Amino acid sequence: HDFDLGPDGLGKAIEVAAKAGRIPPLVSSNANFEAEDETLTDLKRQVEEGLIRHYIVIERDGVRFGIFGVLGKEAVAFTSGAGAVSFDDFIERSKETVDILRNEENVDVVICLSHGGIEKGEDDRYSSGDDVHLPEEVPGIDVVIGSHSHVALDQAIMVNGRTPVVQAG
């Protein structure tokens, strides 16, 4: 619902939060704020200031974590308030971002924060959806922390036998 008040509303909300105190960077690898539109003024400035980034790298006890965020194709369909914001293909952008994180940033662990969603498969188990399709297509992701479908998973969905997809509900 970030865009319910339009891109200018989101920009103003981020601005208020930033002025109230330190906020973590927002990660969005496939949001595109490049259109010439005055409603994007705040968002463009926040990208320049580093409040909004394609990814972040943090290091804890010698382990480097790369964290990026994407909006899946189903979720994009619900962003009617995004106005001049466009969204690049989440699979292609994820491939590019994971390549940068692995080969330029030299991270040990890649974490994707995905607003894509999961769906039940033919076996009536959660085994499909954008959050599952993503690590199938981008095997360099170590964990997908998903959302959009608001499913509380008791156990992770394991993709390719190595990448857990989780969702808190």
Side-chain angles (χ1 to χ4, degrees):
H1 298 278
D2 296 340
F3 295 103
D4 283 357
L5 300 176
D8 50 345
L10 175 59
K12 286 177 183 22
I14 294 170
E15 196 68 30
V16 168
K19 286 181 180 175
R22 186 178 177 277
I23 64 169
L26 304 173
V27 288
S28 181
S29 295
N30 68 328
N32 185 323
F33 308 122
E34 295 177 7
E36 292 299 322
D37 189 294
E38 66 182 37
T39 64
L40 298 176
T41 302
D42 289 336
L43 293 173
K44 286 181 178 188
R45 186 182 70 255
Q46 291 157 358
V47 168
E48 290 175 12
E49 294 171 354
L51 289 172
I52 302 172
R53 303 179 192 177
H54 288 286
Y55 64 85
I56 60 172
V57 176
I58 59 174
E59 188 169 330
R60 299 290 187 271
D61 296 326
V63 179
R64 292 176 56 81
F65 297 88
I67 304 169
F68 74 102
V70 292
L71 195 68
K73 66 181 177 181
E74 181 181 325
V76 167
F78 289 97
T79 58
S80 60
V85 178
S86 62
F87 297 92
D88 300 331
D89 180 84
F90 77 108
I91 298 289
E92 292 308 311
R93 183 60 64 179
S94 295
K95 287 178 181 177
E96 294 167 9
T97 303
V98 168
D99 183 60
I100 292 168
L101 290 170
R102 291 283 183 196
N103 298 313
E104 294 176 27
E105 297 287 354
N106 298 311
V107 301
D108 301 300
V109 178
V110 174
I111 301 168
C112 176
L113 306 177
S114 173
H115 194 111
I118 56 175
E119 301 168 6
K120 286 187 176 181
E122 291 180 12
D123 60 359
D124 206 36
R125 295 176 48 206
Y126 288 101
S127 59
S128 185
D130 287 348
D131 287 348
V132 173
H133 185 60
L134 181 61
E136 287 174 340
E137 295 294 319
V138 189
I141 298 172
D142 293 304
V143 64
V144 175
I145 302 172
S147 63
H148 182 62
S149 48
H150 306 284
V151 174
L153 291 174
D154 294 331
Q155 293 183 357
I157 299 167
M158 295 304 291
V159 177
N160 296 333
R162 70 168 296 276
T163 304
V165 174
V166 297
Q167 206 174 110

